[in-house]
């Protein structure tokens, strides 16, 4: 009991730790929901080039996770810790590169390279923030209950971060109406119609400038929040070296550790299960703005619908923390993530109705909360199980967290690239006021049928995950004895 009391974290420490998760989610949410529609309708890139930017950026982001994990494992301890210097020094450069993603350069050629380069730079720098921050979970306390509680705080703030990202980006950008162009199929071929179209194009140019300025204002606000959260984290959290080390710890090389981690069955089963469920929600995230704008016809409402989803998710995080404590984490996975299936089907089957869409959005947010909380709550259990099987191996926390993120990001990059290419093949019209029927059918598949299939497959794979509540309690007792 004395040991547990020393390992307890204050509410202030948990809040400061939790605030550190907001920058990744705020920027990730803004990019996830808005980057695709920004590249297509504001920067006016061809869908093929937009798909290349989205795929290469996400793929590079995935590759940098294990790279950063490797360098962190080689980092020496300082008076600030081993992880905190990465967070501190990457922050200002990440904010600058993030702002430049939302800037439209005045160059006729090279726009594709501009967005690709700064997108990759930002993903590298945000990885230098997020991988050490994720691994920090194992260095704040040795008590599972305290880590789970801190993770619940973190997930609440992270989902709140997605609300902020959605609200800031959506509300600022939403006030500047992005101009659209009527399809030639709906415009007569008379000279007067051509003249009217030219007049509209002239008006659109001014409106498009306002939209581009709105995106840059939103980027500036989000960049300021990024810096503020990094300062609170670095000041309010103390990294404890002894929290993750056992008495028998001896140094093991990175590649030996990587081999051990990848041979740990519980870890592989966990990441494969969450790979498919996370992919479902990322596919929904990447195409939801286009789906609301064109398929549902809510061009001026989609940012509010996104906000309803994220607010609902934020408010239900405490419920899922209570649920997993009361009924176990595996049960929470089945109940929480599967609850999204009927609503994903409903939004695609029903006719366009704004009230029904808001109801479905609020209900779907409940499942989004579970998908946010559970992976980060279950990863520390896998690491504890690994330590019991390999008591002489240590300092592999960054490998566990970085490779989970690697697999998730890489597959999400593939899915976003394929989905944007699918829209191109379906005949997507850049800045169109409406889209061909094939595009609308494709969007319904991307936000409904495909995510439902991925969720079902992921839940089926979770049957193989071996760490239940009884196993978790045994691991906790065994780790206390080792220490």
């Amino acid at each position: 009991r004395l040991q547990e009391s020393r390992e307890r974290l204050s509410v202030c420490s948990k809040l400061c730790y939790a605030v550190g998760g907001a920058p990744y989610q705020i920027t990730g949410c803004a990019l996830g929901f808005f980057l695709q529609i920004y590249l297509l309708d504001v920067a006016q890139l061809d869908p093929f080039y937009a798909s290349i930017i989205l795929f290469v950026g996400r793929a590079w982001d995935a590759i940098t996770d294990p790279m950063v994990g490797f360098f962190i494992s080689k980092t020496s301890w300082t008076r600030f810790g081993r992880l905190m210097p990465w967070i501190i020094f990457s922050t200002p450069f990440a904010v600058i590169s993030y702002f430049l993603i939302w800037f439209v350069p005045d160059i006729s050629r090279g726009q594709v390279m501009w967005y690709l380069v700064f997108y990759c730079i930002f993903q590298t720098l945000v990885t230098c923030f997020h991988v050490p921050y994720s691994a920090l979970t194992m260095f704040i306390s040795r008590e599972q209950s305290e880590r789970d509680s801190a993770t619940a705080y973190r997930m609440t703030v992270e989902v709140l971060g997605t609300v902020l990202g959605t609200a800031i980006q959506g509300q600022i950008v939403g006030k500047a109406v992005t101009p659209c162009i009527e399809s030639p199929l709906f415009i007569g071929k008379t000279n007067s119609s051509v003249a009217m179209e030219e007049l509209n194009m002239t008006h659109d140019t001014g409106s498009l400038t306002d939209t581009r300025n709105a995106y840059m204002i939103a980027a500036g606000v989000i960049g300021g929040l990024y810096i503020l959260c990094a300062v609170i984290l670095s000041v309010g959290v103390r990294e404890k070296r002894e929290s993750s080390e056992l008495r028998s710890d001896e140094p093991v090389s990175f590649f030996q550790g990587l081999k051990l981690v990848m041979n740990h069955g519980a870890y592989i089963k966990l990441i494969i299960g969450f790979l498919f469920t996370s992919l479902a929600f990322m596919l929904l995230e990447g195409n939801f703005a286009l789906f609301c704008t064109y398929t549902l016809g809510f061009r001026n409402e989609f940012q509010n619908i996104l906000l309803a989803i994220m607010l609902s998710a934020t408010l239900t995080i405490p419920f899922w923390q209570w649920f997993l404590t009361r009924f176990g984490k595996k049960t929470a996975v089945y109940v929480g993530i599967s609850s999204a299936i009927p609503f994903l089907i409903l939004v695609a089957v029903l006719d366009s109705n704004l009230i029904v869409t808001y109801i479905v959005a609020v209900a779907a947010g409940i499942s989004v909360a579970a998908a946010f909380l559970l992976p980060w709550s279950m990863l520390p259990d896998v690491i504890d199980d690994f330590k019991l099987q390999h008591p002489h191996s240590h300092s592999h926390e960054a490998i566990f967290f970085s490779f989970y993120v690697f697999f998730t990001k890489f597959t999400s990059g593939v899915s976003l690239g394929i989905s944007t290419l699918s829209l191109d093949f379906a005949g997507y019209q850049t800045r169109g006021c409406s889209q061909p029927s094939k595009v609308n059918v494709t969007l319904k598949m991307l936000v409904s049928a495909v995510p439902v299939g991925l969720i079902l497959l992921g839940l089926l794979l979770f049957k193989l995950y071996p760490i239940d509540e009884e196993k978790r309690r045994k691991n906790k007792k065994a780790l206390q004895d080792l220490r």
Side-chain angles (χ1 to χ4, degrees), residues 279-295:
L279 186 56
F281 286 100
M282 288 182 179
L283 200 59
L284 176 65
E285 176 189 73
N287 294 281
F288 194 76
L290 292 172
F291 177 74
C292 287
T293 300
Y294 295 113
T295 305

Side-chain angles (χ1 to χ4, degrees), residues 223-411:
L225 286 174
Y226 192 119
I227 295 173
L228 177 62
C229 293
V231 170
I232 293 173
L233 173 66
S234 59
V235 171
V237 175
R238 187 170 70 90
E239 190 178 340
K240 302 176 183 178
R241 183 174 186 174
E242 68 278 5
S243 291
S244 185
E245 295 183 349
L246 304 177
R247 290 180 179 177
S248 57
D249 280 343
E250 294 177 3
V252 177
S253 73
F254 175 84
F255 292 103
Q256 287 177 317
L258 178 60
K259 183 178 179 180
L260 290 173
V261 168
M262 289 304 163
N263 287 329
H264 189 56
Y267 179 64
I268 297 301
K269 291 167 185 174
L270 181 73
I271 62 174
I272 290 176
F274 275 121
L275 184 67
F276 289 101
T277 57
S278 300
L279 186 56
F281 286 100
M282 288 182 179
L283 200 59
L284 176 65
E285 176 189 73
N287 294 281
F288 194 76
L290 292 172
F291 177 74
C292 287
T293 300
Y294 295 113
T295 305
L296 297 181
F298 303 138
R299 176 177 289 272
N300 298 322
E301 287 288 336
F302 77 86
Q303 66 270 16
N304 298 323
I305 297 170
L306 294 177
L307 188 58
I309 294 175
M310 295 307 169
L311 281 173
S312 173
T314 303
L315 296 174
T316 50
I317 283 282
F319 165 77
W320 288 117
Q321 175 63 21
W322 168 85
F323 189 95
L324 67 85
T325 304
R326 177 69 176 81
F327 299 102
K329 297 179 181 180
K330 284 189 73 171
T331 304
V333 168
Y334 292 123
V335 175
I337 296 179
S338 64
S339 64
I341 293 176
F343 302 108
L344 291 176
I345 296 173
L346 193 63
V347 76
V349 171
L350 292 179
D351 293 332
S352 178
N353 184 296
L354 187 58
I355 296 175
V356 172
T357 302
Y358 272 108
I359 295 172
V360 170
V362 172
I366 299 172
S367 184
V368 171
F372 263 91
L373 174 64
L374 289 165
W376 301 110
S377 180
M378 296 169 79
L379 270 172
D381 299 337
V382 172
I383 298 174
D384 287 342
D385 186 67
F386 175 84
K387 286 179 178 179
L388 287 174
Q389 296 184 28
H390 307 279
H392 298 284
S393 183
H394 71 101
S395 299
H396 304 314
E397 294 81 9
I399 298 177
F400 276 97
F401 285 97
S402 64
F403 270 89
Y404 166 71
V405 178
F406 164 77
F407 288 116
T408 304
K409 287 180 178 178
F410 185 80
T411 52

Side-chain angles (χ1 to χ4, degrees), residues 90-102 118 121-122 125 219 223 227:
S90 65
T91 294
F93 302 104
V95 170
I96 294 171
S97 59
Y98 177 79
F99 179 82
L100 293 175
I101 292 173
W102 303 103
F118 284 111
I121 290 174
F122 172 74
L125 292 168
I227 295 173

